[in-house]
Amino acid sequence: MSVSLFWHYAPSLISGFAVTILCWAVGGALGLALGFAIALIRRLKLAPLNWPIRIFIEIFRGTPFLVQLFLLYSGGPSIGLKLSATAAGVLGLALYSSAYFAEIFRAGFAAVPAGQIEAAVSVGMAPLDTMMRVMLPGALIAAVPAIVNMLIILSKETVVLSIITVPELMYQVQTMAAETFTAFDAIFGMAVFYWLLVEAVSRLGARIEARVTAYLAQQGAPA
Amino acid sequence: MKPEVILHSFSYLTRAAATTVAVSFAGIIFGFAIGALVCAARVSRRPWLRRAGAVYISVFRGVPLLVQLLFIYYFLAEYGLDVPAIVAAVGALALSSAAYQAEILRGALNAVPHGQGEAATALGFSGLDIWRRVLLPQALRISTPPLISEFILLLKASSLVSVVGIAELTRVSMNIASETYRPLEAYLAGGLFYLAINLCLAALGALAERRLGTPSAR
Amino acid sequence: MIELAKVGKSFGAHEVLRGVDLSVERSEVVCLIGPSGSGKSTLLRCVNFLEPYDSGAIRIDGRLIGYEDKPDGSRGRMRARTLREMRREIGMVFQHFNLWPHMTALGNVAEPLRRVRGLATREAADRAMAMLTRVGLAAKAEAYPSHLSGGQQQRVAIARALAMQPRLMLFDEPTSALDPELVGEVLEVMKSLAAEGMTMLVVTHEMGFAAHVAGRIAFIDEGRIIDEGPPAHVFHQSPEPRVRQFLQTYHDRNAF
């Protein structure tokens, strides 16, 4: 593939990359918020909500992401949900990741040693304060590695969006490949690009994890 | 909403489900074989082998599966013989899964208490025997639950091979959607089939966890 | 100040406390000793209702804790807010310290002052600093628990409980999780508290502490207090064979 040809497609590739980042960031942020909300609601143990939440999580963790996307994009109009490809893509990423984040936060809450809660109770702290000052910080810190991991997985799932014609990077690469008959080179370039990107993000993620859990390095004592 | 659509296509979907399971199963089996080799490389005493193993894992976990799949597909088209798309499909699933399975196996090997190998050495076991009789059986037992989880993940990932035309659940759902003009029912049906398969696998996984447990709990 | 009358508690089918009677006077130091599984920690945790007791009555300064006597003679659970108010007056120190890992030592001590006593940040910090100085850890105020030794963490935990100015303090095996050389610094703080007249109920294996600091010792076995009295009585003149047998192993192990 010639350099001038690549230059010609540079703008569309850059725009594709921008769309990828946008979908990942917005989808991830929504997924985190929704997953966190679900985890909090679950802790309230409201009987009527238990089953709908469990079903939600089972559906979005038990079916392929691609099927979920098709359902939203192609099946949506049948129930009055007319979404653009990008909107469907972002919504899909959000719902998909929220099910995983809900479980991650649940594990985070469970990881807070009971003793820390007992200390708060024994000193007369109100339940709201105990949650906000002891439980939540502990749970969030415990959840950081899993959250970082899931965000990386989500970044790889964005390429699936190309199948429902979201104009992200993969889609642009395939368009370019089709128009210039350079499928092999284009896909190879894409693979290398993603490999380097994921490798870089993984290392960044590891650094962030280390910083956040630094002072937990040697935990005082088990509960 | 017309549920009759689902009922009419039931046999069609069932065959597709079988294809999905078959493709995923082939992927996990070949993935195990390759993964075992990569794991052996990762724990080898030779630094270049360890490096090679690490690079393999980094590449096949870093590159999205869809990209791997298309790459193999075009690679075979460009250089290979005229092979059916199924080869690209199973190949991509296997190569990708191998990276994850290698890490699972490595984790399982690490989880076998060191003392067991040491006791065997002190008793005069040969290296090969320590592997065959002490380390491998335990590592395989420890790795079974996470491997079942990996199978579940692979099954979901197999939906991507629809893009190279394999007649598995997702592809068939797409076909039903375009033939009947009822995409909602078609994809719901496909989703339900996936769910059903996954629930069975999850039950299998839970059974495996209970029966195999942790070795030190003997 | 603390009155336990016929306190009973079961975990499912397992009866852990079988009618315990005990009283602790103001400024008294009472040590609870006994074998593992005897119920001593459970009993302690019932005093501030961390564990609910099933039968009998526990009163703090005459006030029943955990339950309310209703006008029709039956008993109902105490309102959560009332329970919290009562807990403010009871300090508790745990075997595993239970410091909050995401706060500094100062933060740990100041947090209850801000959230429970409602003090302003500055005031809470000042009071917390004074407490840390009291336990000899002023220099470690900005350190996180994971950077402190076990003995230091436990002293911070004591400061945290003390800062609330409780009327009495409960200690649940405060030195059991510590390396032997760190036990001393914690016992010193506890001794100074006793010397100042703090009412203390201590579950412990530290017989030396019990012998020298306790005003009374209660021996508990299988959910019942089978002997109690001044240290001299329990350690050397107990008529109960179970007590003598338990203490014998201590004498044997410690007489080198």
Side-chain angles (χ1 to χ4, degrees):
Chain A
M1 162 174 266
S2 67
V3 181
S4 63
L5 204 59
F6 185 75
W7 249 179
H8 176 70
Y9 280 96
S12 72
L13 291 176
I14 292 174
S15 119
F17 186 59
V19 173
T20 294
I21 297 288
L22 194 74
C23 291
W24 172 73
V26 178
L30 287 175
L32 272 170
L34 185 58
F36 186 64
I38 292 174
L40 272 182
I41 292 174
R42 262 179 124 171
R43 286 189 68 79
L44 294 175
K45 293 203 177 52
L46 300 165
L49 284 177
N50 268 344
W51 271 107
I53 287 180
R54 279 199 64 182
I55 291 174
F56 176 87
I57 293 179
E58 280 300 320
I59 288 175
F60 283 95
R61 276 167 48 116
T63 56
F65 180 51
L66 183 56
V67 174
Q68 294 168 21
L69 278 181
F70 278 135
L71 211 49
L72 286 169
Y73 185 56
S74 311
S78 308
I79 50 172
L81 192 72
K82 286 194 181 55
L83 296 166
S84 72
T86 309
V90 171
L91 186 62
L93 286 171
L95 291 172
Y96 175 72
S97 63
S98 74
Y100 290 90
F101 283 129
E103 286 293 290
I104 286 172
F105 284 120
R106 188 167 74 97
F109 283 124
V112 178
Q116 290 179 29
I117 308 299
E118 280 187 354
V121 166
S122 74
V123 96
M125 236 190 238
L128 186 66
D129 284 326
T130 305
M131 166 61 90
M132 298 287 297
R133 303 290 297 168
V134 179
M135 179 63 110
L136 266 186
L140 288 174
I141 290 163
V144 164
I147 291 176
V148 169
N149 194 41
M150 187 62 205
L151 287 174
I152 292 175
I153 291 174
L154 207 64
S155 70
K156 289 190 286 172
E157 292 291 342
T158 57
V159 299
V160 179
L161 262 47
S162 64
I163 299 178
I164 57 165
T165 72
V166 175
E168 45 75 70
L169 187 57
M170 180 75 173
Y171 184 80
Q172 304 288 15
V173 167
Q174 289 193 289
T175 308
M176 176 181 78
E179 287 172 9
T180 61
F181 301 99
T182 55
F184 184 71
D185 296 327
I187 300 289
F188 183 71
M190 181 76 174
V192 171
F193 178 77
Y194 249 99
W195 174 41
L196 293 173
L197 189 69
V198 169
E199 194 56 44
V201 172
S202 294
R203 297 211 186 164
L204 183 67
R207 286 252 206 90
I208 294 177
E209 272 176 49
R211 281 283 290 284
V212 170
T213 54
Y215 54 75
L216 291 178
Q218 348 133 13
Q219 255 291 5
Chain B
M1 173 81 153
K2 280 207 204 155
E4 311 87 77
V5 170
I6 303 177
L7 290 167
H8 284 156
S9 336
F10 199 78
S11 63
Y12 200 9
L13 285 164
T14 316
R15 263 178 291 145
T19 308
T20 288
V21 173
V23 166
S24 309
F25 191 70
I28 201 111
I29 294 295
F30 286 115
F32 184 80
I34 302 170
L37 287 172
V38 175
C39 177
R42 280 287 267 135
V43 302
S44 140
R45 268 178 297 210
R46 286 168 227 201
W48 67 269
L49 264 181
R50 287 203 300 270
R51 206 74 179 82
V55 170
Y56 181 97
I57 292 175
S58 162
V59 169
F60 283 92
R61 289 205 307 189
V63 180
L65 182 61
L66 184 60
V67 179
Q68 291 179 32
L69 178 64
L70 291 174
F71 179 74
I72 292 172
Y73 188 72
Y74 289 119
F75 178 83
L76 287 175
E78 189 130 328
Y79 299 111
L81 313 145
D82 188 21
V83 290
I86 191 83
V87 174
V90 173
L93 289 176
L95 288 169
S96 176
S97 179
Y100 294 94
Q101 293 197 49
E103 285 293 277
I104 289 173
L105 292 172
R106 191 167 73 97
L109 277 172
N110 281 339
V112 178
H114 278 200
Q116 303 213 0
E118 286 173 356
T121 310
L123 284 164
F125 275 59
S126 75
L128 188 65
D129 267 348
I130 295 180
W131 261 96
R132 280 198 322 138
R133 308 290 287 164
V134 178
L135 292 175
L136 219 50
Q138 301 218 41
L140 284 175
R141 198 217 284 118
I142 295 173
S143 59
T144 302
L147 283 177
I148 294 181
S149 298
E150 170 63 18
F151 189 24
I152 293 175
L153 290 172
L154 198 63
L155 195 100
K156 287 189 283 174
S158 72
S159 76
L160 291 179
V161 308
S162 57
V163 310
V164 295
I166 312 288
E168 43 75 64
L169 266 174
T170 307
R171 178 95 243 164
V172 161
S173 301
M174 289 162 73
N175 294 344
I176 296 173
S178 59
E179 280 165 27
T180 64
Y181 294 99
R182 308 229 58 115
L184 184 68
E185 290 84 341
Y187 293 118
L188 274 177
L192 282 169
F193 266 85
Y194 275 110
L195 262 179
I197 300 174
N198 272 333
L199 284 172
C200 295
L201 287 174
L204 186 69
L207 186 71
E209 284 248 25
R210 269 204 314 273
R211 296 280 288 278
L212 300 173
T214 31
S216 45
R218 281 275 190 74
Chain C
M1 176 172 285
I2 311 176
E3 259 177 61
L4 293 98
K6 299 208 181 349
V7 175
K9 166 135 191 93
S10 300
F11 285 111
H14 178 48
E15 210 184 344
V16 172
L17 297 173
R18 307 161 198 254
V20 174
D21 293 307
L22 184 67
S23 67
V24 181
E25 305 300 322
R26 188 176 302 270
S27 294
E28 214 187 354
V29 177
V30 174
C31 283
L32 274 177
I33 65 174
S36 303
S38 55
K40 38 187 209 299
S41 277
T42 309
L43 186 66
L44 192 79
R45 288 157 64 90
C46 285
V47 174
N48 68 349
F49 217 68
L50 214 55
E51 297 283 355
Y53 53 94
D54 301 326
S55 59
I58 298 183
R59 289 176 207 278
I60 315 282
D61 269 346
R63 192 175 183 194
L64 189 65
I65 186 167
Y67 297 105
E68 273 159 354
D69 286 319
K70 297 214 287 237
D72 63 0
S74 69
R75 209 195 243 188
R77 277 284 191 124
M78 181 180 258
R79 276 175 58 228
R81 168 172 292 167
T82 325
L83 186 57
R84 286 204 297 273
E85 278 166 16
M86 284 193 80
R87 282 181 175 145
R88 278 192 276 191
E89 311 300 324
I90 306 172
M92 183 152 190
V93 177
F94 298 85
Q95 182 178 354
H96 293 293
F97 336 131
N98 288 342
L99 293 180
W100 300 310
H102 52 284
M103 299 181 207
T104 60
L106 189 75
N108 263 276
V109 181
E111 188 67 15
L113 292 174
R114 290 198 359 236
R115 303 288 152 185
V116 181
R117 292 277 185 209
L119 296 186
T121 313
R122 171 60 57 80
E123 228 197 305
D126 289 340
R127 201 122 45 118
M129 202 55 189
M131 279 303 125
L132 283 176
T133 314
R134 168 89 180 66
V135 301
L137 286 172
K140 296 282 184 184
E142 296 302 320
Y144 282 97
S146 63
H147 297 144
L148 298 173
S149 76
Q152 291 169 331
Q153 288 187 56
Q154 192 63 299
R155 283 189 280 154
V156 174
I158 294 176
R160 180 173 65 179
L162 252 191
M164 294 289 285
Q165 293 173 325
R167 280 188 256 163
L168 62 112
M169 286 188 67
L170 306 173
F171 293 82
D172 190 357
E173 299 202 38
T175 57
S176 293
L178 297 175
D179 287 338
E181 54 211 13
L182 300 174
V183 168
E185 63 194 64
V186 174
L187 291 182
E188 281 307 313
V189 173
M190 289 169 69
K191 274 190 219 170
S192 69
L193 281 181
E196 282 172 9
M198 172 64 76
T199 313
M200 295 161 67
L201 182 57
V202 184
V203 171
T204 186
H205 290 301
E206 289 293 322
M207 297 304 163
F209 176 84
H212 293 121
V213 183
R216 257 188 318 131
I217 298 182
F219 185 93
I220 179 170
D221 188 23
E222 291 185 356
R224 266 185 264 265
I225 294 191
I226 57 180
D227 199 7
E228 67 170 281
H233 166 83
V234 175
F235 281 128
H236 303 297
Q237 301 155 10
S238 175
E240 296 293 331
R242 188 74 188 87
V243 178
R244 289 205 300 272
Q245 176 193 33
F246 177 79
L247 291 171
Q248 190 59 45
T249 57
Y250 271 95
H251 291 146
D252 290 343
R253 282 215 313 275
N254 293 326
F256 57 78

